[in-house]
Every structure is written in C-alpha cells, then in structure tokens.
Amino acid sequence: MMVKNKFVIGAIGILAAAAVVLAGCNSQSKGSSAASTSSTASQQKTLKILVSAEIPQLDSAKSYDVVSDSQIFNFQEGLYKLGKKDAVVPAIAQSQPTVSKDGLTYTIKLKKDAAWSNGAPVTAQDFVFAWRRAVDPKTKSQNATKLFSLANAEEINAGKKPLTDLGVKAVGDDTLQVKLAIANPYFLRELTGTNYFPQNEKFVNKVGAKYGTAAQYVLADGPFIIKDWNGTSDKWSFVKNPHYYDAKQVKLTKVDVSVVTNAATQAQTFDQKTADITPVSGEFIEKYAKDPAYHRISSYGTSNVEIDTTSEGHPELGNVNFRRALFYAVDRKALTDQVLKDGSVPAVGYLAPGALRNPANGKDVNTELGTLTYYSKAKARKYLALAKKELGKDKFTLTLKGSDTDAGKRTTEYLQSTFQNALPGVTVDVQNIPAKSLFASLMSYNFQLDTGGWEAEADPSVLLQQFTTGYTHDHGGFSNKQYDQLVKDAQGKDAANAQQRYTDLKDAQKILLDQAVVVPLYHSATNLLINTQLKGVQTHAFGQTYDFSRAYFK
C-alpha cells in the first residue's frame, strides 16, 4: 500500500509482521556461531533469496507497495539511488543536479552509456514519457501523487491540464530539465523512488496493457533482468544485465527468489544451506540472535490497524468513541515483546521516533506532544460505553483482515483476543489472506479493520498525507478540514519555513490520533538471515531495504 508512500504487507520477508510496513536502517550482526553459511564455494555466482509475499505487479509508474518496489529496484534504476549511509548518489544521472536559485528548476545530465536490456540507450525522453504516464489520469496510478512535486502534475492528474504541461522536458537525449511546483528540500531523495524511474516508450506502447504483468513485459535498465515471473509465480529469477552501465561491478550472474510464508520453513531452508537471504520472525529471532548471520534492520515505518470509517453496515466504525475504544484496547508492549519478538518497538504515535523533530530544539514530535498512543483497558471501556449509548447498540461483530504469513497470523490472533477481552460485546472475526489480496482489499476500500502500515519516508508529510480527504490511499475515508489544511500548508505555503512546517505536522498528527483514525501498533524492524560468506549487501533506512547489486561471495 507501504516510499515514497509505499504500502507494506506481509511478515517481514518484505517487511513487518502484521502486514504492511517497512524500510530498513543499518543492519546489525550480533553474536557468533558456526551456523548458517549457505553455499561454501568461493566462486558462487548464484544468490538464493526467500521472500514472504508474491509480486502484485512490476509497472514502476503504478507501483505503490513495498512488495512490488522491492523487486523493481533489482532490475531498474532512476536518476539517483541511495548509497552508503543513505546518501543520494547518481545512478542514470552523471552527477548531482544543477539547481536554480529559487529551488524550482533542476537540470540533470544523463550518463551516455546508460542502456536498456534490449540495447537501446536510456534517454531524457524516457523520463519524460514515464513521468507523464504516471500522472496521466488514464493510467490510474495509485501513486501518482508521488509526482505532485512536479509543476502542474496535480492539475494534470485531475484532468485539468494536458500532459505536455508537466514540469519536465528533454533537452536533447542526455539532458533533463525539471520544473517543480514549489521548492522541495526532499526532491532529490524522491527521485530515488520507483515512481520516478524511466520507461522506454517504444517498448511500453508495443506491449500495451500487458506492461508490468509478467517478466517479458518489462524492460530493465538496472543491474539485473527479471525472468520466469508470469504474474502469479511464487518463484522468479534475476540474471545479470549485460547492458547495465556498471555491469563490471555486478558480481552475481543469477538470483533465484522463492516465496515462503512459513517462518519455520524459512529458517529450515536457511539452515539447510539452500537459501542465502531469508526473513526471520517470531521465536526464530531468539534462536539466531547471537548468530553472525542475523541482521536487524531498524525502521521508521509504522504498522497499524486501519479502520474503514465509512464501512457500509458498520456505523460504529464512523463513531469516534468506538474507534477510541479500539485505540486504547491494544497493549502494544505485549504485542512486540510477547507476540512478535522481532525487534519492533511499541508505537508511541503515528510517526515513528526520529521521523519528525522540532528544528528549534531537536526534540521528537512524540516527546513534545506527550505519549498519545498507549494501552488502557479502563479508557477503552469508557469510550465503548459512550459509543454504545450514542449508537443505541450493545453488540458488534467486525472482520479483521491480515496477511497469511506467520507473523501476520500471530498479529491478527493477538488483536482478536485483546479487542474481545477489553471490549465486552465486541466480536472480531479474522481473515488471513495473501498479500496481493490484502492490497486489493484496501485499494477497493472493501474492509472493516485491516492490519497495514507505511514504510519510512524522507518527508514525514507524505505519511500524514495518506489521511487527507479524497487521497488515493485514504483507505478508511477519513475527512477533516482542519487536518487537510495543515497537511496542505506543510506541503505548500509553509514548505520553506521549517518551524511552521513542523508545527503544521505536529498538529496534524495530534488530530489523527485524537480521532483514532488508525490504531498505531508498532514501529518495525526487518529481521534477516544472511549467508556470512555473502558480502557487499547494502541496507537502507528508506526505499530499497537491501541492495544486492554489488554483492559477492567471499
């Protein structure tokens, strides 16, 4: 759903346990053990990876979820990418951009040796075509808003202006000129996201509506080419792209990827040395905690219970006191420490600690607001009593959806138990379904309660934007004029005023939590087992959780 507003679903194989959130931070090896070195041959060229969810689709212009993103990053690159310590470094671009004094115009030179996997050169026009396609209302991209930094993008997406008015143009084959709607200090980081990746116009037009639906219907400009994915496959591969501009630095010749949702099977496969990277969750984290193969990647993302506030037939979800009852009924520490046991920490707000700080004193927004997200059975029952009186009803039956991974199942089981225990008269039915189905449920707004969340963002306003009126990813249909204005101001007239922007976003989060629009659960961590002979894997706090394009076996 979770970069970039990237919706995340699944147990941390791609992300977080309940269903939907992620972006990695510095990996940390712990302890020592002789266990878990997959293949031992120093000349090994094939990497074997396990993930926890199937790919929804591979069209970079439409990508809005972390599962799709995690695979697109392997075969495509944009103008810039994340390097060491999350620094933004040139990819298809030759160097850092030239920026006008007013911060509105970026001029970017492209590498002359950048090429598509069919041998065609990557040109400035490929970016113009892709960005226009992403904001074109006919494309129906669920992440078109990611390009609203571009001049006229919002108006074009609303059908009010022609595509040719978009703030991007090719100046010859190797120069791109970009015009922003307003100065955006986060724009360079935004360019690392998949929605800003180029697309080859000739190829896209040739395959038409099939683009992104199978391996043969995408074209690569990155380190690998995807193979053997037919749209529903639970296995696929990447092979080295000989036309990649930096192919000499790519040591692996092949990467085999398999979907495995069971945590025990993931660990067993790793122990049997038939997987080099796998997610690890639950009790297995404790087992491997001191193993040098274990890596915990911290995240600023947040997993939540999303609430459809307009759910037909369930007016209680539109009742703020009923939502508050759900909000206070969750013991987040019990969830993270006793159920997930994966390094995630109890949510203290919607924005994770460190995501938004007061520029005047460096204090975290959650510190300044005071802890607004906490467990209180007494408050939960108090608000439930108010809701019952307002609704004239004593019994409620709700459906909670979550992913079908082990961690997803544990999370929904815990939530079912805690809601029913803390809230007399409330019955919760659970449905655990594949990530692809869970995405579809959210995006069709066909749910009541859903475990979900968002990966970390460079710009915290993007996370809060998810709940503005009419926004594509306002899954629950929340609408509040004051909230909308605060987010709009932060992204518009106050964008260049750091202090006022902070105040806007702080006040927006307060409204979000006071209205219990979502139930924040935890701030995630991604847990991986990585073959100790595999070197050169890079992890990031935003965007691509781990990058194996320069990996090699020692």
Side-chain angles (χ1 to χ4, degrees):
M1 359 153 319
M2 36 311 211
V3 176
K4 320 164 328 195
N5 23 333
K6 294 298 175 187
F7 197 67
V8 185
I9 283 189
I12 243 168
I14 298 275
L15 256 309
V20 175
V21 143
L22 178 39
C25 199
N26 305 318
S27 74
Q28 302 167 351
S29 297
K30 297 186 179 182
S32 62
S33 167
S36 65
T37 53
S38 296
S39 304
T40 58
S42 61
Q43 298 302 311
Q44 183 179 348
K45 297 292 185 181
T46 298
L47 174 65
K48 296 182 183 298
I49 296 177
L50 303 184
V51 297
S52 296
E54 298 175 2
I55 303 171
Q57 61 90 41
L58 290 177
D59 184 343
S60 59
K62 296 180 179 180
S63 183
Y64 69 95
D65 65 275
V66 115
V67 181
S68 298
D69 253 18
S70 65
Q71 303 308 309
I72 294 173
F73 273 121
N74 297 324
F75 68 87
Q76 276 205 264
E77 283 189 354
L79 293 164
Y80 298 93
K81 62 183 178 181
L82 296 179
K84 294 180 180 180
K85 297 183 179 180
D86 297 322
V88 176
V89 299
I92 301 299
Q94 283 186 22
S95 59
Q96 297 295 325
T98 300
V99 184
S100 61
K101 289 184 178 180
D102 61 6
L104 295 177
T105 303
Y106 287 62
T107 302
I108 303 168
K109 291 283 187 179
L110 276 58
K111 287 183 170 70
K112 295 184 182 297
D113 56 350
W116 294 101
S117 50
N118 64 0
V122 177
T123 68
Q125 185 57 35
D126 292 331
F127 288 92
V128 174
F129 169 74
W131 297 1
R132 285 178 177 176
R133 183 169 175 267
V135 301
D136 188 342
K138 293 179 182 178
T139 302
K140 297 180 180 179
S141 172
Q142 293 168 336
N143 230 16
T145 52
K146 284 302 299 178
L147 285 84
F148 281 9
S149 289
L150 303 177
N152 300 318
E154 186 170 2
E155 293 83 355
I156 292 168
N157 189 244
K160 297 177 180 179
K161 288 188 176 183
L163 287 175
T164 51
D165 281 0
L166 187 64
V168 59
K169 69 177 181 179
V171 183
D173 287 340
D174 64 353
T175 303
L176 195 68
Q177 190 175 86
V178 183
K179 187 80 171 180
L180 303 188
I182 58 171
N184 180 357
Y186 299 97
F187 183 63
L188 203 59
R189 189 172 291 274
E190 285 186 7
L191 287 177
T192 67
T194 56
N195 301 120
Y196 280 97
F197 284 2
Q199 292 184 343
N200 183 283
E201 183 173 4
K202 184 177 180 180
F203 182 85
V204 174
N205 289 339
K206 179 182 178 181
V207 302
K210 294 181 179 179
Y211 187 78
T213 62
Q216 66 265 38
Y217 300 129
V218 292
L219 205 58
D221 71 323
F224 299 98
I225 300 169
I226 190 167
K227 298 284 187 181
D228 307 318
W229 180 72
N230 64 12
T232 59
S233 313
D234 61 3
K235 293 183 179 180
W236 57 90
S237 298
F238 294 98
V239 298
K240 183 175 178 177
N241 178 7
H243 294 285
Y244 180 51
Y245 67 85
D246 206 16
K248 290 182 179 180
Q249 299 303 317
V250 179
K251 308 303 181 185
L252 300 170
T253 58
K254 188 181 182 184
V255 180
D256 291 329
V257 185
S258 300
V259 177
V260 176
T261 60
N262 183 274
T265 304
Q266 291 169 344
Q268 182 181 40
T269 304
F270 189 79
D271 284 344
Q272 292 173 342
K273 307 184 192 306
T274 51
D276 299 299
I277 300 177
T278 182
V280 59
S281 58
E283 65 269 23
F284 295 99
I285 292 175
E286 184 176 359
K287 173 184 175 182
Y288 293 101
K290 295 182 179 180
D291 195 304
Y294 173 65
H295 296 256
R296 183 175 67 83
I297 305 172
S298 300
S299 171
Y300 289 152
T302 304
S303 282
N304 317 291
V305 174
E306 297 213 19
I307 302 172
D308 184 356
T309 63
T310 63
S311 183
E312 185 176 349
H314 290 273
E316 61 269 24
L317 297 181
N319 181 282
V320 66
N321 286 319
F322 188 87
R323 297 198 304 271
R324 286 169 176 160
L326 296 173
F327 189 94
Y328 289 109
V330 179
D331 186 340
R332 294 159 180 84
K333 185 170 178 58
L335 173 61
T336 58
D337 295 358
Q338 300 172 27
V339 179
L340 297 178
K341 301 178 183 178
D342 63 357
S344 297
V345 297
V348 294
Y350 176 66
L351 296 176
L356 178 64
R357 295 184 182 278
N358 187 333
N361 56 29
K363 290 185 178 180
D364 183 78
V365 65
N366 298 297
T367 300
E368 294 209 325
L369 281 174
T371 302
L372 300 179
T373 303
Y374 57 91
Y375 167 62
S376 171
K377 184 183 285 189
K379 290 191 75 168
R381 291 187 172 180
K382 168 191 169 184
Y383 284 117
L384 179 63
L386 290 172
K388 286 180 175 180
K389 184 176 181 180
E390 292 165 354
L391 294 164
K393 187 177 178 181
D394 288 326
K395 295 187 181 298
F396 310 88
T397 299
L398 299 169
T399 298
L400 170 67
K401 293 181 180 180
S403 75
D404 62 352
T405 62
D406 281 357
K409 290 175 182 177
R410 286 198 303 274
T411 301
T412 52
E413 287 170 2
Y414 167 77
L415 291 170
Q416 179 186 48
S417 175
T418 195
F419 284 148
Q420 292 181 162
N421 176 267
L423 305 173
V426 174
T427 300
V428 177
D429 297 326
V430 167
Q431 293 181 5
N432 291 101
I433 56 181
K436 192 170 184 177
S437 301
L438 195 52
F439 284 135
S441 162
L442 282 159
M443 291 313 301
S444 63
Y445 313 106
N446 180 28
F447 71 99
Q448 293 163 24
L449 305 176
D450 208 331
T451 50
W454 293 90
E455 71 172 336
E457 293 282 350
D459 180 357
S461 75
V462 175
L463 292 168
L464 292 168
Q465 183 184 23
Q466 314 305 325
F467 301 96
T468 53
T469 303
Y471 188 73
T472 305
H473 296 292
D474 180 21
H475 303 131
F478 177 64
S479 181
N480 180 290
K481 290 183 179 180
Q482 183 184 3
Y483 182 88
D484 291 349
Q485 191 62 52
L486 287 166
V487 175
K488 182 179 180 181
D489 289 348
Q491 296 182 328
K493 73 180 184 67
D494 296 335
N497 184 331
Q499 194 61 47
Q500 184 57 50
R501 189 177 202 268
Y502 167 79
T503 300
D504 293 340
L505 298 179
K506 180 183 73 171
D507 291 347
Q509 169 163 272
K510 186 175 181 180
I511 291 172
L512 192 70
L513 297 177
D514 177 68
Q515 294 295 303
V517 181
V518 293
V519 180
L521 297 176
Y522 57 87
H523 308 305
S524 351
T526 299
N527 297 275
L528 300 173
L529 296 178
I530 301 177
N531 183 348
T532 55
Q533 293 184 341
L534 181 65
K535 308 299 181 182
V537 177
Q538 198 170 84
T539 62
H540 301 294
F542 303 96
Q544 189 174 13
T545 307
Y546 61 91
D547 177 1
F548 52 77
S549 64
R550 304 300 187 276
Y552 62 94
F553 288 93
K554 186 175 180 180

